[in-house]
Amino acid sequence: MTNHWIDIKNSDCILIMGSNAAENHPISFKYVIQAMEKGAPLISVDPRFTKTSAKADIYASLRSGTDIAFLGGMIKYILDNNLYNKEYTTAYTNAPFLVDKSFGFKDGLFSGYQKNEGDGPSMGGYDKSSWAFQMDDKGVPKVDKTLSDKHSVFQLLKKHYERYDVDTVVKVTGTTKADLLKVYETYAKTGVTGKAGTVMYAMGWTQHTVGTQMIRSMAMIQLLLGNMGVAGGGVNALRGESNVQGSTDHCLLWHIWPGYLKTPRASNDSLDAYNKKFTPKSNDPLSANWWQNYPKYSVSLLKSFFGDKAIPENQFGYTWLPKVDDGAVYSWFDLFDAMYKGDMEGFFAWGQNPACSGSNASKTRKALEKLDWMVNVNLFDNETGSFWRGPGADPSKIGTEVFMLPASVSVEKEGSITNSGRWMQWRYQGPKPLGNSRPDGDIIMELGHRIKEKYKAADGVFKHPILNLKWDYETNGAYDPHKAAKEINGYFVKDVTVKGKLCKKGTLVPSFAWLQADGSTSSGNWLYCNSYTEKGNMSARRSKKDAANNIGLYPEFAWCWPVNRRILYNRASVDTQGRPWDDKQWVIKFAGESKDGKYTSKKWLGDVPDGGWYPLENPDGSQRTDAKQPFIMRKHGLGQIFGPGRADGPFPEHYEPLECPVEKNYFSSHMVNPTAVVYSTKDDSHATCDPRFPFVGTTYRVSEHWQTGLMTRPQKWLMELEPNVFVEMSEELAKLRAIENGERVLVSSARGKLECTAIVTKRFKPFLIGYATVHQVGVPWHYGWRWPATGAEESANLLTPSAGDPNTRIPETKAFMVNVTKL
Amino acid sequence: MSKSIFIDTTICTACRACQVACKQWHDLPAEETINVGSHQNPQDLSFDTYKLVRMKEEIINGRLEWLFFPDQCRHCEDAPCLEAAYDESAIYRDDATGAIIYTLETRKLDADDIIAACPYDIPRKAADGTLAKCDMCNDRVHNGLKPACVTACPTGAMNFGERDEMLALAQKRLGMAKNKFPKAQLLNPDEVNVIYLVGFDPELYSEYAVASAAKSGISRSVALRKIMGPFAKLMRV
């Protein structure tokens, strides 16, 4: 989240789209209700009328996968009706930037498209050199503050969304015109200075081949309306799992290092080359370009990995770390594809259940059969650890040796959890672990020790990374989360003077502003530097004292990154002279002294400002040179309306899901995202516009179950509430198929079949798409054959496709095609 | 003075934390259920289910509404079940809290008689005739805690406190609810200690959401007792 949970109560209008927050983030709803009681309307946009819709003031339906059409239409509506916040857009976004004249867009493709003629899985990519800005002689992007130059981002934006008129949008999404306009009208009111709209989104936006761009659309709307950096605004991702925020921050993903640094490629053949490649440069003195500090963070990370062994002479151990082959991708999809092809010997299925959680579960289950060994670390036996005796598996033909390591559950361990709002919260151990189960930290520590011993005893290949790894996070023989937390914060590894202050060796670094690129500091994650300092464990704080601005920041309750800044980009919550746009709900305000119309001292009140520099302008309107633009993590310092960093385009464009019910994309002649990833083994079948699979299928969750249901299916009180895997369908579809409410039926896709209990409901209604009637159904993905013992409740992922977003390779589990028939 | 529970159904999201919290606190067994085509499960209150979130899809004024009603015993000020039982060892009122409590002695009563007496159709019987229902978590309340369902509720739909406090809160929230739901009403606030606020016609939520005229008839034995007055105990009617 750019903002945080409590801040939702400050909003003047809440859009919940790509999320069913009342169902799946039920505690968060407390804050939504508080905002509503102050008069904020709640808008729920969803293919199905959900528990969130039941509380909403406005509900609008849309066909799964058409969110970019919906939001593109909102962009056009905002521009056509001049509802964007002109002052904010001009000052704080790249709307005034002039784009290179060679940039273009034609019939669904941006300039620079290169189709992949080879094997895939990527369908294609872009040479992005034309997606550049025109630069002046100082190397700073040229701007037109009147926003009228035809090459300005603003005019290009207008041109791009010309096609997204209400009638076309309605034809694609199936939303009624009245509902669409009601949503646009209500939400666009937050463009007024002093009003803030917020968006709460989740997997309904991420799990598409165009998922990243769905989110981009909303970010652009929030920038146009001046909703970034303000209380009750922001783009708020409701994370899908407790502490997934922590796992992504610490980068348990192949393409990033802790703190969202980049994993090195083989061609980054030295630390210098690596740092140079990933450290952006800006010639604009007004751009903080915070990532220019990249080398301080990467070197400190290396010092954390290898301790004293990392020295300048060996590039701080850079050469000991694995590099990604250039052009290779190791996403979840790719790992299981490789496993399926027999390219993997062993696999740690650690705290996960891929046999039920990954899309196209049949392929995953077959892939597991190819392994020589698997280590399954989990609380209970599950469909992954027991894949070899699952439905359709023949144990006599499977050679995989499975080791089950029973793990302790979160409440049996001390440590931290980071929530969607970036708040790191320390938790103490509740009950002691049961039986032989052990905390993950202990398992990992022991595994590391044993591997090190093996490499010491017998000369393994390339032993340096293993032997040199710093591995001292225990106290009295047990894993000590405090040691890990301190390592993550970071230490001064030698006496060093920073900012005129002597910092003693072995003391904790106060914040990432003190980290160095010369090897004098270590930090396991620069973003968390400031979380555990000489002042103590900041994440264990529980003060309920609010800040002076009284907007629910609670700055001394736990700790959030970065440096306890609760609302990101908050320099955009004030005008160029440092005065809040909204004085009733101010986030920061400049309170420095001024003399003769010029600020003479620096002082900010409220939240931790997103950089303590002077405001951009003095009270007399003169520009300051010692100020910085608000979006400090972006190279040019401004919010990106034109976003050249994505794989599929600088502007979001509607494409249909890989499997879709229509023969025509009303926005261009390209049906599917031309850069999407699609897998193509014989277990990766797809079927689009195929009469065998005429209905749109989607997957979602219920409050009562959790992820693949490993923790909830064995729980009797929860199974009492939701005992069976179900498929929700409209009364119209039930009639079409002569299906009775409560009947067991078969849902099938090109990849598999699933027996479910039919829930015939008013909450799904057929969509009118163009001239066609399109039905949609939905299935929860919480079930699997292992529990309950009947084995009759299986995983919805048996149905879902192997197609993914080009930026993230997240699977398109929210929109695919199915059939529903009587058994 | 009794304690009361105030339930604002307009902000209930049917998360069912209340339903599970009740089971957990009382260590009640889970029922063997199947999905009969609804998220509401079990289908009704039972000897083992004291709290049930009822869910109904209704078209009201041309608009789809999904109504949620977290049903439970009303802990009536003048409980008809208590009157019908006429045996404090089986059914009694804890005057400190206002909770209507059933004991194992309910086994000796005519269970169907007691159930028929309740205008909200709440008490349920076991095979041996013992009756059970929500007890307002009387043990928690006596120890300074709120009932489990109230503590678990994330949105503030469930509230607990002194009766006058809860009545005042109910009136305040009724006022707020009327802005969005012109037909909002409190259900039998003067008669019960579990006060519901609904946004629409109460009958749409549940058959017995308000005291049903059809069900409020007292049984013959209770009627006789009322006539006999103070002599009734002597006569053991």
Side-chain angles (χ1 to χ4, degrees):
Chain A
M1 290 179 154
T2 59
N3 294 45
H4 60 94
W5 288 115
I6 300 173
D7 183 65
I8 288 165
K9 73 181 174 91
N10 296 321
S11 193
D12 295 302
C13 183
I14 301 173
L15 170 64
I16 298 182
M17 189 169 170
S19 154
N20 179 5
E23 179 94 55
N24 301 313
H25 290 87
I27 316 293
S28 74
F29 226 70
K30 169 163 70 171
Y31 301 113
V32 175
I33 304 264
Q34 287 177 23
M36 289 170 79
E37 284 172 3
K38 289 192 277 173
L42 171 63
I43 304 170
S44 162
V45 181
D46 200 297
R48 174 183 63 129
F49 185 98
T50 63
K51 285 178 180 170
T52 302
S53 318
K55 297 292 120 185
D57 296 287
I58 299 169
Y59 166 67
S61 69
L62 94 168
R63 171 171 63 100
S64 266
T66 63
D67 303 64
I68 293 174
F70 194 106
L71 297 173
M74 193 188 291
I75 292 174
K76 182 178 196 319
Y77 177 90
I78 289 168
L79 296 175
D80 287 349
N81 295 292
N82 280 315
L83 295 167
Y84 61 99
N85 188 309
K86 194 155 190 203
E87 200 179 345
Y88 185 106
T89 303
T90 311
Y92 293 155
T93 78
N94 68 5
F97 281 22
L98 300 186
V99 175
D100 199 280
K101 295 189 175 142
S102 64
F103 169 76
F105 175 84
K106 187 160 178 235
D107 189 27
L109 290 179
F110 294 96
S111 45
Y113 182 65
Q114 292 156 338
K115 185 164 182 205
N116 184 1
E117 303 292 354
D119 264 334
S122 170
M123 284 168 49
Y126 281 100
D127 167 356
K128 298 186 199 174
S129 46
S130 66
W131 303 1
F133 299 117
Q134 296 177 31
M135 304 299 239
D136 66 19
D137 49 15
K138 296 195 185 70
V140 172
K142 287 185 180 169
V143 300
D144 170 19
K145 292 278 187 181
T146 68
L147 308 182
S148 53
D149 186 305
K150 74 170 187 196
H151 294 290
S152 65
V153 164
F154 191 79
Q155 292 301 329
L156 290 171
L157 178 76
K158 249 187 155 163
K159 191 164 162 220
H160 189 84
Y161 291 102
E162 244 163 29
R163 294 163 294 136
Y164 290 71
D165 59 278
V166 169
D167 291 325
T168 308
V169 171
V170 156
K171 245 191 325 196
V172 171
T173 63
T175 314
T176 68
K177 192 165 172 174
D179 286 345
L180 196 74
L181 285 171
K182 187 120 195 265
V183 173
Y184 290 176
E185 191 190 6
T186 308
Y187 197 76
K189 286 195 177 120
T190 66
V192 168
T193 301
K195 290 285 179 205
T198 189
V199 62
M200 296 165 69
Y201 79 89
M203 267 33 65
W205 271 359
T206 60
Q207 292 175 359
H208 295 271
T209 46
V210 291
T212 305
Q213 296 288 358
M214 285 180 179
I215 300 160
R216 267 279 296 147
S217 314
M218 196 66 211
M220 288 154 68
I221 289 171
Q222 292 295 70
L223 286 169
L224 288 170
L225 297 176
N227 285 333
M228 293 307 299
V230 301
V235 174
N236 294 311
L238 313 188
R239 303 306 304 259
E241 157 110 50
S242 174
N243 208 21
V244 67
Q245 183 67 48
S247 85
T248 52
D249 293 343
H250 294 295
C251 299
L252 304 189
L253 290 168
W254 72 276
H255 67 298
I256 37 184
W257 271 0
Y260 301 101
L261 303 177
K262 309 279 189 240
T263 326
R265 285 351 187 225
S267 59
N268 309 132
D269 54 10
S270 70
L271 176 61
D272 276 343
Y274 164 76
N275 277 332
K276 200 169 179 165
K277 173 90 188 187
F278 296 116
T279 303
K281 287 199 175 19
S282 167
N283 292 328
D284 186 349
L286 288 181
S287 175
N289 182 25
W290 197 262
W291 277 118
Q292 64 176 297
N293 295 296
Y294 195 101
K296 298 174 184 170
Y297 309 147
S298 61
V299 173
S300 298
L301 179 65
L302 292 172
K303 283 299 287 181
S304 210
F305 286 160
F306 302 115
D308 295 332
K309 301 282 192 341
I311 53 177
E313 290 75 14
N314 60 26
Q315 303 179 58
F316 300 107
Y318 175 80
T319 56
W320 302 331
L321 288 166
K323 313 289 185 301
V324 170
D325 284 336
D326 285 73
V329 176
Y330 302 90
S331 75
W332 172 285
F333 260 145
D334 301 288
L335 292 177
F336 285 95
D337 192 54
M339 194 190 291
Y340 173 88
K341 289 170 175 157
D343 292 342
M344 224 181 263
E345 284 174 27
F347 173 53
F348 280 85
W350 201 308
Q352 51 170 231
N353 186 12
C356 291
S357 61
S359 71
N360 194 359
S362 307
K363 182 184 176 187
T364 301
R365 295 173 186 190
K366 288 203 178 115
L368 297 173
E369 293 181 12
K370 304 276 174 57
L371 295 167
D372 291 347
W373 56 267
M374 177 201 297
V375 177
N376 186 220
V377 187
N378 215 315
L379 310 184
F380 306 122
D381 187 27
N382 54 82
E383 291 78 8
T384 300
S386 278
F387 79 91
W388 49 273
R389 53 179 174 178
D394 179 357
S396 69
K397 296 204 170 77
I398 298 170
T400 316
E401 192 172 1
V402 179
F403 300 88
M404 179 72 185
L405 299 185
S408 309
V409 79
S410 62
V411 295
E412 295 165 342
K413 305 183 282 192
E414 181 175 15
S416 71
I417 288 196
T418 303
N419 74 8
S420 300
R422 296 167 282 107
W423 290 26
M424 174 191 175
Q425 297 171 84
W426 197 261
R427 297 194 180 174
Y428 296 101
Q429 183 186 48
K432 301 263 184 295
L434 216 55
N436 285 338
S437 73
R438 300 176 71 193
D440 298 287
D442 287 274
I443 299 174
I444 296 173
M445 286 312 299
E446 185 167 343
L447 196 59
H449 285 310
R450 304 261 197 120
I451 293 173
K452 275 171 170 281
E453 274 162 37
K454 290 236 171 242
Y455 271 79
K456 240 181 246 162
D459 227 24
V461 172
F462 194 39
K463 58 187 179 179
H464 302 84
I466 308 296
L467 294 182
N468 295 335
L469 182 66
K470 184 164 175 293
W471 202 241
D472 59 352
Y473 306 107
E474 284 145 321
T475 300
N476 298 327
Y479 164 68
D480 182 350
H482 291 270
K483 279 197 167 146
K486 286 178 185 174
E487 184 70 56
I488 285 167
N489 179 85
Y491 294 96
F492 292 104
V493 301
K494 49 167 91 111
D495 284 359
V496 63
T497 300
V498 182
K499 301 176 201 266
K501 183 166 184 266
L502 173 65
C503 306
K504 301 289 282 168
K505 172 180 173 167
T507 56
L508 293 157
V509 181
S511 84
F512 53 69
W514 299 69
L515 292 175
Q516 304 298 313
D518 61 7
S520 56
T521 57
S522 71
S523 173
N525 187 330
W526 73 274
L527 273 183
Y528 280 72
C529 186
N530 181 240
S531 62
Y532 208 132
T533 65
E534 295 301 320
K535 295 198 183 126
N537 183 354
M538 298 290 111
S539 68
R541 299 181 303 171
R542 291 293 184 270
S543 166
K544 295 205 182 142
K545 181 162 165 276
D546 204 355
N549 49 12
N550 221 21
I551 53 170
L553 297 180
Y554 298 103
E556 290 166 54
F557 190 102
W559 175 91
C560 78
W561 64 260
V563 291
N564 209 29
R565 177 175 302 129
R566 305 265 154 156
I567 295 180
L568 298 182
Y569 307 119
N570 57 34
R571 281 178 73 97
S573 72
V574 298
D575 65 18
T576 46
Q577 293 181 15
R579 296 170 303 201
W581 300 116
D582 182 357
D583 215 32
K584 280 185 258 87
Q585 291 189 146
W586 57 276
V587 182
I588 61 172
K589 65 163 84 151
F590 190 71
E593 295 157 321
S594 57
K595 186 172 178 231
D596 299 329
K598 310 251 189 284
Y599 287 127
T600 53
S601 69
K602 257 189 300 188
K603 189 182 164 109
W604 288 96
L605 303 172
D607 194 7
V608 176
D610 214 336
W613 308 281
Y614 278 97
L616 291 157
E617 265 179 36
N618 286 307
D620 67 3
S622 57
Q623 308 290 317
R624 293 189 71 102
T625 54
D626 54 359
K628 299 288 175 203
Q629 300 285 14
F631 289 86
I632 66 170
M633 299 311 289
R634 301 264 58 95
K635 183 162 74 172
H636 299 300
L638 298 166
Q640 297 194 121
I641 290 192
F642 186 89
R646 297 296 109 231
D648 30 6
F651 289 133
E653 170 71 5
H654 170 79
Y655 302 105
E656 289 289 324
L658 179 73
E659 291 190 336
C660 74
V662 293
E663 282 175 323
K664 185 176 152 63
N665 174 358
Y666 289 101
F667 290 100
S668 79
S669 63
H670 280 269
M671 286 302 286
V672 180
N673 184 340
T675 61
V677 294
V678 183
Y679 294 82
S680 52
T681 67
K682 72 167 173 48
D683 279 297
D684 288 305
S685 314
H686 306 105
T688 196
C689 239
D690 187 324
R692 292 176 299 154
F693 307 110
F695 313 129
V696 175
T698 193
T699 56
Y700 37 68
R701 311 182 195 205
V702 294
S703 304
E704 296 79 5
H705 281 292
W706 183 245
Q707 305 292 72
T708 65
L710 228 320
M711 288 171 80
T712 55
R713 282 183 274 130
Q715 217 303 326
K716 293 199 165 101
W717 292 322
L718 296 173
M719 285 301 275
E720 181 184 40
L721 300 174
E722 293 284 2
N724 305 101
V725 63
F726 56 81
V727 55
E728 289 184 297
M729 65 184 77
S730 68
E731 294 172 330
E732 291 83 350
L733 178 54
K735 196 165 171 202
L736 195 70
R737 284 285 194 257
I739 287 170
E740 305 264 316
N741 194 25
E743 193 182 324
R744 288 292 274 189
V745 297
L746 194 68
V747 182
S748 55
S749 77
R751 293 156 292 283
K753 300 188 200 315
L754 184 68
E755 188 189 302
C756 310
T757 301
I759 295 184
V760 179
T761 170
K762 296 176 167 54
R763 294 174 293 100
F764 259 128
K765 282 257 162 284
F767 296 104
L768 186 63
I769 306 298
Y771 303 105
T773 297
V774 174
H775 293 278
Q776 179 163 340
V777 301
V779 182
W781 59 285
H782 299 301
Y783 297 88
W785 59 264
R786 184 64 184 85
W787 318 91
T790 57
E793 314 306 317
E794 256 282 37
S795 173
N797 274 316
L798 289 167
L799 304 168
T800 52
S802 326
D805 179 286
N807 299 285
T808 59
R809 300 204 170 184
I810 283 189
E812 193 156 57
T813 45
K814 290 290 180 179
F816 48 96
M817 298 303 289
V818 297
N819 198 359
V820 183
T821 50
K822 289 171 85 83
L823 274 180
Chain B
M1 177 47 101
S2 12
K3 307 287 184 191
S4 289
I5 295 179
F6 165 58
I7 304 178
D8 182 351
T9 67
T10 67
I11 60 174
C12 169
T13 58
C15 71
R16 302 194 283 171
C18 57
Q19 196 171 322
V20 178
C22 175
K23 289 261 169 171
Q24 186 193 27
W25 180 254
H26 293 92
D27 207 12
L28 291 164
E31 297 187 33
E32 291 282 327
T33 54
I34 56 163
N35 187 323
V36 299
S38 166
H39 294 291
Q40 179 181 316
N41 241 329
Q43 293 313 298
D44 196 13
L45 295 168
S46 76
F47 187 75
D48 293 325
T49 300
Y50 303 163
K51 178 91 185 173
L52 177 66
V53 180
R54 297 186 185 276
M55 307 186 202
K56 292 273 252 38
E57 296 173 14
E58 295 286 338
I59 309 283
I60 303 171
N61 298 327
R63 207 173 173 246
L64 176 60
E65 305 288 347
W66 201 6
L67 308 177
F68 304 137
F69 195 82
D71 204 2
Q72 65 182 91
C73 169
R74 306 297 196 270
H75 296 281
C76 303
E77 286 273 89
D78 272 306
C81 61
L82 190 153
E83 265 197 45
Y86 204 68
D87 180 354
E88 283 186 343
S89 70
I91 303 181
Y92 70 95
R93 181 177 195 266
D94 180 341
D95 287 330
T97 61
I100 306 294
I101 305 293
Y102 286 7
T103 73
L104 288 172
E105 297 299 298
T106 49
R107 202 179 3 169
K108 297 193 278 192
L109 305 171
D110 181 335
D112 291 334
D113 214 31
I114 307 298
I115 295 170
C118 175
Y120 305 102
D121 189 35
I122 298 296
R124 293 289 183 271
K125 65 181 182 187
D128 69 354
T130 315
L131 290 163
K133 66 170 188 67
C134 159
D135 64 358
M136 207 198 264
C137 280
N138 209 34
D139 48 357
R140 288 176 65 95
V141 174
H142 272 280
N143 281 281
L145 300 172
K146 297 187 183 174
C149 55
V150 176
T151 306
C153 177
T155 58
M158 306 264 327
N159 301 271
F160 178 81
E162 297 296 321
R163 181 170 168 74
D164 52 4
E165 252 184 74
M166 289 298 101
L167 282 169
L169 179 61
Q171 286 299 333
K172 176 171 169 232
R173 295 210 60 100
L174 175 65
M176 287 166 74
K178 283 198 163 136
N179 290 328
K180 289 196 190 174
F181 310 102
K183 295 231 177 99
Q185 57 179 277
L186 299 173
L187 306 183
N188 307 128
D190 300 328
E191 275 104 61
V192 300
N193 282 308
V194 177
I195 304 149
Y196 287 85
L197 165 60
V198 295
F200 303 101
D201 178 358
E203 268 171 36
L204 295 175
Y205 293 78
S206 162
E207 201 183 336
Y208 303 105
V210 274
S212 139
K215 254 193 136 279
S216 64
I218 54 175
S219 68
R220 199 166 163 273
S221 51
V222 174
L224 264 174
R225 259 182 253 129
K226 280 184 154 1
I227 296 165
M228 303 294 286
F231 298 107
K233 246 193 174 141
L234 288 171
M235 305 283 285
R236 269 309 182 207
V237 170

